[in-house]
Amino acid sequence: MYKIIEKIALNDDVDLFVIEAPLVAKNTLAGNFVIVRVDKDGERIPLTIVENTDTSITVISQKVGFSTKMLSKKNIGEYIEDVVGPLGVPAEIKNVKKVIAVAGGVGAAPIYPQIKAYYKKGTEVDLIIGASNKQHLILLDKFQEVCKNIYIATDDGSIGEKGFVTKVLQKKLEENTYDLSIAIGPVIMMKNVVEINKKFNLKTFVSLNPIMIDGTGMCGNCRVTIHNKTYFACVDGPDFDSDGIDFNELIQRQKYYHEEEHECNLRLGEKDD
Amino acid sequence: MINRVRMPELDPNIRNKSFDEVALGFSIEQVKIEASRCLNCVNPRCVKACPVNIDIPKFIQQILSDNFKDAYCTIYQDNILPSVCSRVCPQEKQCEGACVLGIKTESVAIGSLERFIGDYCLENCFYKDEKIEDNNKAVAIVGSGPAGLACAAQIRRYGYQTDVYEALHEFGGVLKYGIPEFRLPKNIVDSEIDRLKKLGVNFYKNVIIGKTLTLDQLIKEYKYDSVFIGSGAGLPSSLGIKGENLNGVYYANEFLTRVNLMKANSFPSYATPVKIKDIVAVVGGGNVAMDAARTAKRLGAKKVYIIYRRDINSLPARLEEIHHAIEEGIEFKLLLNPVEIIGHNYEINKIKCQVMELGEKDQTGRQKPIPTNSFVDIDVDNLIIAIGQSPNPIIKKSTPELLCDNWGRIIVNDYQTSIPGVFAGGDIVTGAATVILAMGAGKSAAIHINKFLRNA
Ligand SMILES: Cc1cc2nc3c(=O)[nH]c(=O)nc-3n(C[C@H](O)[C@H](O)[C@H](O)COP(=O)(O)OP(=O)(O)OC[C@H]3O[C@@H](n4cnc5c(N)ncnc54)[C@H](O)[C@@H]3O)c2cc1C
Ligand SMILES: Cc1cc2nc3c(=O)[nH]c(=O)nc-3n(C[C@H](O)[C@H](O)[C@H](O)COP(=O)(O)OP(=O)(O)OC[C@H]3O[C@@H](n4cnc5c(N)ncnc54)[C@H](O)[C@@H]3O)c2cc1C
Ligand code: SF4
Ligand code: SF4
Ligand code: FES
């Protein structure tokens, strides 16, 4: 059992949790994630470790379906059944001068520890951060501490540029040169970012988020295809060089259980009543 | 001569829709009759053929004189998981395969007798009373599968502080996530593990050695005097053909984990789904393939095929599982080897198989399958790949100095790895094998660990 020691609602859909987990915190590096099981009947779901102290980890979770909604019902002082990690290969923080980072939606959470690691190394990072609207932009104050420039894009134009992050990216790449790009967000966003970056000969690293169960390389659920070879995102990733990734396959694999997820949500409706 | 007593079973057409246990166990009357068949041999062949050398005639004689608890103690001495092994051992290749009665008639149903005793003592909460004198040394056990459990029990008996670290949220390894409920009820696994807790073994879940804590940290920071690695063969083998990552294609590990560990058969009461449609093909011929096929049937598949590249006599699965699969309506498509998985919009709908024929015998004594020039297409909605597992590389990756062979198996000498004081056994050393072999290795490793620490 893992105690929730802090909880902040970042907006209507996204919560930040600080969870007491000394053993997980011990070896955590940027890019690692945990697998969480909210309660005894729960599913195992991956969440990125955003920050850690010696004894606790911070995760940020967006309510998208049953398990993340169950998690959001938990409050300070309550317990989460299982938290295991740190999982995945830590992000490789490369020796470069200028990085352009692109974050979409809750992708801002997993990208933060990487940007911070670059900042600590002395790398200059420009961030393009996108969300549906002003309310859904998260971690802006934290990004301000570690980024040189921040460019915002929202779907409704409530703040920053109206439109997608890719529109801003295109413009920035025309104006500046960068050594490397990192992008984390919805798969379709990462796919489009990679396409634009390619036009500018810019290498992109992305974080892949297939469906996972154990997170230890045992089940093979999390497989992704890169240059026609299979990789397990939980142990070989989740960060990968974007070159050759079959994004369309990943999009379809993520959708495989859509009907079942819907069924699960109906159950949540019953529980709420 | 009395005939071998048959264990009652659920009707095939009822059980192929239910996750209840198939084999129902002997009654006391049946146990008595079956036990009376044993000749109490002076040089019992059965004992030599049991990988942990249980004194089989002794426990059978104890049954006959109504000393069920003594019979339990006899078994428990060598096998701390009698209710598990009696259900999953390939008896026909081990104890029963060697029984002298089998030469002329039918062997004694040793597994069924062992199961009765194991279950009887679990139900009646009978524990073997063991006095343990604590010493001041500590051993860490990595993995709670059969190898880790057997090692833990033996190490604890010597008096060491014994701490088991498990990556998953439940203990038991393959016994929990791999072997299905209808063959090995999970409450039995839990009850047997509870006995180890009573012996004073400590269990920690959600700790992945190599990630959460490294081997080095266990030794240097946590000051364990010795470590045993029983991390199993958890890495699924791939077919290496086109289309393997299409939706609807599962590795058996994922499929079985969803159902056994995550209880997807009770979705949505449990939140993890599994998706099995009308026609399911399972590739492989071992226990894993039989388990996957029978599980798919129970989840409502109308047709389930086993696709295997040799003939029916070469199936490596336990005999009983093959019989059960046939009874439950699993169809065997033999001498076929999948060469391509075909789909539409990233979802499988067909597999292309190459027709095989049998050639010369290979090193395993079985005829080698040889590809022919003909191919068949089979329409399927799901494909479950059950062609084997190799060792999980997590520990190796974080411990470069740990020597492994080309297949990723840890190299050992008298159970000791290339790192002094670090021992290993079970599937991580042998590659995918059996429960009882893993337990035998765990126990033997404990004996060597004790020797090592006594001399240290
Ligand atoms: C390495 C990794 C890191 C992640 N980090 C974060 C994070 O920091 N913050 C965050 O909000 N989200 C993160 N996610 C996504 C998060 O795991 C999913 O949103 C969550 O599992 C959805 O579960 P659900 O039951 O609420 O939704 P559901 O309704 O069950 O599913 C919604 C969608 O989420 C995905 N999903 C469902 N189950 C799983 C699963 N077991 N594993 C992975 N994806 C699944 C599927 O694509 C599905 O279509 C991460 C995913 C991965 C793989
Ligand atoms: C579906 C299936 C059916 C089978 N049926 C039979 C049968 O009928 N009869 C039979 O005799 N055998 C059967 N087997 C084989 C048998 O289960 C295995 O040979 C046996 O379980 C091996 O035991 P083990 O302890 O070496 O490994 P496992 O049982 O694999 O246990 C290893 C444990 O270590 C944990 N672990 C791994 N890495 C780490 C780490 N880094 N840190 C912490 N923990 C870790 C794993 O999570 C796991 O719990 C079957 C196997 C499968 C998959
Ligand atoms: S442990 Fe297995 S091989 Fe040994 S007697 Fe029992 S069933 Fe037979
Ligand atoms: S070989 Fe058969 S008959 Fe002889 S002791 Fe063993 S079980 Fe009994
Ligand atoms: S999540 Fe099971 S292998 Fe990656």
Side-chain angles (χ1 to χ4, degrees), chain B residues 229-271:
Chain B
I229 303 173
S231 53
L235 182 74
S237 307
S238 76
L239 286 166
I241 62 176
K242 207 173 143 208
E244 231 169 320
N245 295 348
L246 292 175
N247 274 330
V249 180
Y250 284 104
Y251 288 128
N253 273 6
E254 179 197 339
F255 174 62
L256 292 170
T257 299
R258 283 182 177 271
V259 179
N260 297 324
L261 183 72
M262 307 311 296
K263 308 197 169 55
N265 55 316
S266 304
F267 178 86
S269 297
Y270 288 84

Short mmCIF file of all heavy atoms in Angstrom, two decimals, chain B residues 229-271:
data_model
loop_
_atom_site.label_atom_id
_atom_site.label_comp_id
_atom_site.label_asym_id
_atom_site.label_seq_id
_atom_site.Cartn_x
_atom_site.Cartn_y
_atom_site.Cartn_z
N ILE B 229 18.88 -16.05 -7.22
CA ILE B 229 18.07 -15.52 -8.32
C ILE B 229 17.21 -16.63 -8.92
O ILE B 229 17.73 -17.61 -9.45
CB ILE B 229 18.97 -14.93 -9.44
CG1 ILE B 229 19.89 -13.84 -8.86
CG2 ILE B 229 18.12 -14.35 -10.56
CD1 ILE B 229 20.92 -13.34 -9.86
N GLY B 230 15.91 -16.46 -8.81
CA GLY B 230 14.97 -17.42 -9.42
C GLY B 230 13.97 -16.65 -10.25
O GLY B 230 12.77 -16.69 -10.01
N SER B 231 14.49 -15.88 -11.21
CA SER B 231 13.62 -14.92 -11.91
C SER B 231 12.92 -15.50 -13.14
O SER B 231 12.17 -14.81 -13.81
CB SER B 231 14.42 -13.67 -12.29
OG SER B 231 15.58 -14.03 -13.00
N GLY B 232 13.13 -16.78 -13.41
CA GLY B 232 12.29 -17.46 -14.39
C GLY B 232 12.56 -17.10 -15.84
O GLY B 232 13.43 -16.32 -16.17
N ALA B 233 11.75 -17.73 -16.71
CA ALA B 233 11.88 -17.51 -18.15
C ALA B 233 10.67 -16.73 -18.62
O ALA B 233 9.74 -17.28 -19.18
CB ALA B 233 11.99 -18.84 -18.88
N GLY B 234 10.68 -15.45 -18.34
CA GLY B 234 9.48 -14.66 -18.59
C GLY B 234 9.42 -13.94 -19.91
O GLY B 234 8.51 -13.16 -20.15
N LEU B 235 10.37 -14.19 -20.80
CA LEU B 235 10.38 -13.41 -22.04
C LEU B 235 9.77 -14.23 -23.18
O LEU B 235 10.31 -15.26 -23.55
CB LEU B 235 11.83 -13.03 -22.37
CG LEU B 235 12.06 -12.17 -23.60
CD1 LEU B 235 11.63 -10.74 -23.34
CD2 LEU B 235 13.54 -12.20 -23.99
N PRO B 236 8.63 -13.78 -23.74
CA PRO B 236 7.98 -14.61 -24.77
C PRO B 236 8.79 -14.68 -26.06
O PRO B 236 9.34 -13.68 -26.51
CB PRO B 236 6.65 -13.90 -25.01
CG PRO B 236 6.83 -12.50 -24.52
CD PRO B 236 7.89 -12.54 -23.47
N SER B 237 8.86 -15.87 -26.66
CA SER B 237 9.54 -16.02 -27.96
C SER B 237 8.59 -15.60 -29.07
O SER B 237 7.40 -15.87 -29.00
CB SER B 237 9.95 -17.47 -28.18
OG SER B 237 10.69 -17.94 -27.10
N SER B 238 9.15 -14.98 -30.09
CA SER B 238 8.30 -14.55 -31.20
C SER B 238 8.46 -15.49 -32.37
O SER B 238 9.45 -16.21 -32.49
CB SER B 238 8.66 -13.13 -31.62
OG SER B 238 9.84 -13.14 -32.36
N LEU B 239 7.44 -15.51 -33.25
CA LEU B 239 7.52 -16.35 -34.44
C LEU B 239 8.49 -15.75 -35.45
O LEU B 239 9.03 -16.45 -36.29
CB LEU B 239 6.14 -16.45 -35.10
CG LEU B 239 5.10 -17.31 -34.40
CD1 LEU B 239 3.72 -17.04 -34.96
CD2 LEU B 239 5.44 -18.79 -34.55
N GLY B 240 8.66 -14.42 -35.37
CA GLY B 240 9.54 -13.75 -36.30
C GLY B 240 8.97 -13.71 -37.71
O GLY B 240 9.72 -13.79 -38.68
N ILE B 241 7.64 -13.63 -37.82
CA ILE B 241 7.04 -13.56 -39.16
C ILE B 241 6.25 -12.27 -39.32
O ILE B 241 6.00 -11.56 -38.33
CB ILE B 241 6.12 -14.78 -39.43
CG1 ILE B 241 4.94 -14.80 -38.44
CG2 ILE B 241 6.91 -16.07 -39.39
CD1 ILE B 241 3.95 -15.92 -38.71
N LYS B 242 5.85 -11.98 -40.54
CA LYS B 242 5.14 -10.74 -40.83
C LYS B 242 3.77 -10.73 -40.15
O LYS B 242 3.08 -11.73 -40.12
CB LYS B 242 4.95 -10.65 -42.36
CG LYS B 242 4.85 -9.24 -42.86
CD LYS B 242 4.83 -9.19 -44.38
CE LYS B 242 3.88 -8.08 -44.79
NZ LYS B 242 3.26 -8.31 -46.08
N GLY B 243 3.41 -9.60 -39.60
CA GLY B 243 2.06 -9.44 -39.06
C GLY B 243 1.92 -9.74 -37.58
O GLY B 243 0.83 -9.71 -37.02
N GLU B 244 3.03 -10.00 -36.90
CA GLU B 244 2.94 -10.42 -35.50
C GLU B 244 2.39 -9.34 -34.56
O GLU B 244 1.88 -9.65 -33.49
CB GLU B 244 4.33 -10.86 -35.01
CG GLU B 244 4.29 -12.21 -34.38
CD GLU B 244 5.66 -12.78 -34.12
OE1 GLU B 244 6.55 -12.64 -34.97
OE2 GLU B 244 5.84 -13.38 -33.05
N ASN B 245 2.51 -8.08 -34.97
CA ASN B 245 2.04 -7.02 -34.08
C ASN B 245 0.64 -6.52 -34.45
O ASN B 245 0.19 -5.48 -33.96
CB ASN B 245 3.04 -5.85 -34.08
CG ASN B 245 4.37 -6.29 -33.48
OD1 ASN B 245 4.47 -7.36 -32.89
ND2 ASN B 245 5.39 -5.47 -33.65
N LEU B 246 -0.07 -7.26 -35.30
CA LEU B 246 -1.44 -6.88 -35.61
C LEU B 246 -2.31 -7.03 -34.36
O LEU B 246 -2.04 -7.88 -33.51
CB LEU B 246 -2.01 -7.79 -36.71
CG LEU B 246 -1.40 -7.65 -38.10
CD1 LEU B 246 -1.99 -8.70 -39.04
CD2 LEU B 246 -1.64 -6.25 -38.65
N ASN B 247 -3.35 -6.23 -34.28
CA ASN B 247 -4.32 -6.41 -33.20
C ASN B 247 -4.94 -7.80 -33.29
O ASN B 247 -5.16 -8.32 -34.39
CB ASN B 247 -5.42 -5.36 -33.30
CG ASN B 247 -5.03 -4.06 -32.61
OD1 ASN B 247 -4.27 -4.08 -31.64
ND2 ASN B 247 -5.52 -2.95 -33.11
N GLY B 248 -5.23 -8.39 -32.15
CA GLY B 248 -5.81 -9.72 -32.14
C GLY B 248 -4.77 -10.82 -32.03
O GLY B 248 -5.08 -11.97 -31.82
N VAL B 249 -3.49 -10.44 -32.16
CA VAL B 249 -2.41 -11.41 -31.97
C VAL B 249 -1.86 -11.23 -30.56
O VAL B 249 -1.44 -10.14 -30.19
CB VAL B 249 -1.28 -11.20 -33.00
CG1 VAL B 249 -0.17 -12.24 -32.80
CG2 VAL B 249 -1.83 -11.26 -34.42
N TYR B 250 -1.89 -12.28 -29.79
CA TYR B 250 -1.40 -12.23 -28.41
C TYR B 250 -0.19 -13.16 -28.27
O TYR B 250 -0.16 -14.23 -28.87
CB TYR B 250 -2.44 -12.79 -27.44
CG TYR B 250 -3.61 -11.91 -27.09
CD1 TYR B 250 -4.88 -12.14 -27.64
CD2 TYR B 250 -3.48 -10.89 -26.16
CE1 TYR B 250 -5.97 -11.36 -27.27
CE2 TYR B 250 -4.57 -10.11 -25.79
CZ TYR B 250 -5.81 -10.36 -26.34
OH TYR B 250 -6.89 -9.59 -25.96
N TYR B 251 0.74 -12.78 -27.42
CA TYR B 251 1.66 -13.78 -26.89
C TYR B 251 0.91 -14.48 -25.77
O TYR B 251 0.13 -13.85 -25.04
CB TYR B 251 2.93 -13.14 -26.31
CG TYR B 251 3.87 -12.60 -27.36
CD1 TYR B 251 4.34 -11.30 -27.29
CD2 TYR B 251 4.30 -13.40 -28.40
CE1 TYR B 251 5.22 -10.80 -28.25
CE2 TYR B 251 5.17 -12.91 -29.36
CZ TYR B 251 5.62 -11.61 -29.28
OH TYR B 251 6.48 -11.13 -30.23
N ALA B 252 1.16 -15.77 -25.59
CA ALA B 252 0.45 -16.51 -24.55
C ALA B 252 0.63 -15.85 -23.18
O ALA B 252 -0.30 -15.79 -22.39
CB ALA B 252 0.94 -17.95 -24.52
N ASN B 253 1.82 -15.33 -22.93
CA ASN B 253 2.06 -14.68 -21.64
C ASN B 253 1.08 -13.55 -21.39
O ASN B 253 0.53 -13.43 -20.30
CB ASN B 253 3.47 -14.10 -21.59
CG ASN B 253 4.49 -15.11 -21.13
OD1 ASN B 253 4.17 -16.29 -20.95
ND2 ASN B 253 5.71 -14.67 -20.92
N GLU B 254 0.88 -12.71 -22.40
CA GLU B 254 -0.04 -11.59 -22.21
C GLU B 254 -1.46 -12.11 -22.01
O GLU B 254 -2.17 -11.71 -21.08
CB GLU B 254 -0.01 -10.63 -23.41
CG GLU B 254 -1.00 -9.49 -23.22
CD GLU B 254 -1.35 -8.71 -24.49
OE1 GLU B 254 -0.58 -8.75 -25.46
OE2 GLU B 254 -2.41 -8.06 -24.49
N PHE B 255 -1.86 -13.02 -22.89
CA PHE B 255 -3.22 -13.55 -22.84
C PHE B 255 -3.49 -14.19 -21.48
O PHE B 255 -4.49 -13.90 -20.81
CB PHE B 255 -3.38 -14.56 -23.98
CG PHE B 255 -4.68 -15.29 -23.97
CD1 PHE B 255 -5.88 -14.60 -24.12
CD2 PHE B 255 -4.73 -16.67 -23.82
CE1 PHE B 255 -7.09 -15.26 -24.11
CE2 PHE B 255 -5.93 -17.34 -23.81
CZ PHE B 255 -7.12 -16.64 -23.95
N LEU B 256 -2.56 -15.07 -21.04
CA LEU B 256 -2.78 -15.78 -19.78
C LEU B 256 -2.66 -14.83 -18.59
O LEU B 256 -3.39 -14.96 -17.61
CB LEU B 256 -1.80 -16.95 -19.66
CG LEU B 256 -2.04 -18.09 -20.66
CD1 LEU B 256 -0.91 -19.10 -20.64
CD2 LEU B 256 -3.37 -18.80 -20.38
N THR B 257 -1.76 -13.86 -18.67
CA THR B 257 -1.64 -12.90 -17.57
C THR B 257 -2.93 -12.09 -17.42
O THR B 257 -3.40 -11.85 -16.30
CB THR B 257 -0.45 -11.94 -17.81
OG1 THR B 257 0.74 -12.71 -17.87
CG2 THR B 257 -0.31 -10.93 -16.68
N ARG B 258 -3.48 -11.66 -18.56
CA ARG B 258 -4.74 -10.92 -18.47
C ARG B 258 -5.80 -11.73 -17.75
O ARG B 258 -6.53 -11.22 -16.91
CB ARG B 258 -5.25 -10.56 -19.88
CG ARG B 258 -4.51 -9.39 -20.50
CD ARG B 258 -5.06 -8.99 -21.87
NE ARG B 258 -4.33 -7.84 -22.35
CZ ARG B 258 -4.69 -6.56 -22.11
NH1 ARG B 258 -5.80 -6.29 -21.48
NH2 ARG B 258 -3.92 -5.56 -22.52
N VAL B 259 -5.86 -13.03 -18.06
CA VAL B 259 -6.92 -13.84 -17.47
C VAL B 259 -6.57 -14.30 -16.05
O VAL B 259 -7.36 -14.15 -15.13
CB VAL B 259 -7.24 -15.06 -18.38
CG1 VAL B 259 -8.32 -15.92 -17.74
CG2 VAL B 259 -7.67 -14.58 -19.76
N ASN B 260 -5.36 -14.84 -15.87
CA ASN B 260 -5.04 -15.45 -14.58
C ASN B 260 -4.70 -14.43 -13.50
O ASN B 260 -5.25 -14.46 -12.41
CB ASN B 260 -3.87 -16.41 -14.72
CG ASN B 260 -4.22 -17.56 -15.64
OD1 ASN B 260 -5.35 -18.03 -15.66
ND2 ASN B 260 -3.26 -17.98 -16.43
N LEU B 261 -3.77 -13.53 -13.82
CA LEU B 261 -3.33 -12.58 -12.81
C LEU B 261 -4.33 -11.43 -12.68
O LEU B 261 -4.66 -10.99 -11.58
CB LEU B 261 -1.95 -12.03 -13.18
CG LEU B 261 -1.31 -11.07 -12.18
CD1 LEU B 261 -0.85 -11.85 -10.94
CD2 LEU B 261 -0.11 -10.35 -12.78
N MET B 262 -4.83 -10.94 -13.83
CA MET B 262 -5.67 -9.74 -13.82
C MET B 262 -7.17 -10.08 -13.83
O MET B 262 -8.00 -9.21 -13.79
CB MET B 262 -5.32 -8.83 -15.00
CG MET B 262 -3.85 -8.45 -15.13
SD MET B 262 -3.07 -7.85 -13.62
CE MET B 262 -3.99 -6.35 -13.32
N LYS B 263 -7.49 -11.36 -13.96
CA LYS B 263 -8.88 -11.85 -13.88
C LYS B 263 -9.80 -11.27 -14.94
O LYS B 263 -10.95 -10.92 -14.69
CB LYS B 263 -9.44 -11.63 -12.48
CG LYS B 263 -8.52 -12.19 -11.40
CD LYS B 263 -9.19 -12.35 -10.08
CE LYS B 263 -8.35 -13.13 -9.09
NZ LYS B 263 -6.99 -12.64 -8.86
N ALA B 264 -9.29 -11.17 -16.16
CA ALA B 264 -10.09 -10.60 -17.25
C ALA B 264 -11.32 -11.44 -17.58
O ALA B 264 -12.25 -10.95 -18.20
CB ALA B 264 -9.22 -10.43 -18.50
N ASN B 265 -11.32 -12.72 -17.14
CA ASN B 265 -12.53 -13.53 -17.38
C ASN B 265 -13.70 -13.01 -16.56
O ASN B 265 -14.85 -13.33 -16.84
CB ASN B 265 -12.26 -15.01 -17.07
CG ASN B 265 -11.72 -15.23 -15.68
OD1 ASN B 265 -10.84 -14.50 -15.23
ND2 ASN B 265 -12.23 -16.21 -14.97
N SER B 266 -13.43 -12.19 -15.55
CA SER B 266 -14.50 -11.56 -14.77
C SER B 266 -14.65 -10.09 -15.10
O SER B 266 -15.20 -9.32 -14.31
CB SER B 266 -14.24 -11.71 -13.28
OG SER B 266 -14.09 -13.05 -12.94
N PHE B 267 -14.14 -9.67 -16.26
CA PHE B 267 -14.34 -8.29 -16.70
C PHE B 267 -15.84 -8.06 -16.88
O PHE B 267 -16.53 -8.95 -17.36
CB PHE B 267 -13.60 -8.09 -18.04
CG PHE B 267 -13.77 -6.73 -18.64
CD1 PHE B 267 -12.94 -5.69 -18.29
CD2 PHE B 267 -14.79 -6.49 -19.57
CE1 PHE B 267 -13.09 -4.43 -18.84
CE2 PHE B 267 -14.95 -5.23 -20.12
CZ PHE B 267 -14.11 -4.20 -19.75
N PRO B 268 -16.44 -6.92 -16.54
CA PRO B 268 -15.79 -5.73 -16.02
C PRO B 268 -15.71 -5.63 -14.49
O PRO B 268 -15.35 -4.57 -13.99
CB PRO B 268 -16.65 -4.61 -16.58
CG PRO B 268 -18.02 -5.19 -16.65
CD PRO B 268 -17.85 -6.67 -16.88
N SER B 269 -16.04 -6.72 -13.76
CA SER B 269 -15.86 -6.63 -12.30
C SER B 269 -14.40 -6.36 -11.97
O SER B 269 -14.08 -5.67 -11.01
CB SER B 269 -16.28 -7.92 -11.63
OG SER B 269 -17.64 -8.14 -11.84
N TYR B 270 -13.54 -6.98 -12.75
CA TYR B 270 -12.12 -6.63 -12.71
C TYR B 270 -11.85 -5.79 -13.94
O TYR B 270 -12.39 -6.08 -15.01
CB TYR B 270 -11.25 -7.89 -12.69
CG TYR B 270 -11.33 -8.62 -11.37
CD1 TYR B 270 -12.37 -9.52 -11.11
CD2 TYR B 270 -10.39 -8.39 -10.37
CE1 TYR B 270 -12.47 -10.16 -9.89
CE2 TYR B 270 -10.47 -9.04 -9.15
CZ TYR B 270 -11.51 -9.91 -8.91
OH TYR B 270 -11.60 -10.55 -7.70
N ALA B 271 -11.01 -4.77 -13.80
CA ALA B 271 -10.94 -3.74 -14.83
C ALA B 271 -10.14 -4.11 -16.09
O ALA B 271 -10.17 -3.39 -17.06
CB ALA B 271 -10.37 -2.46 -14.23
#
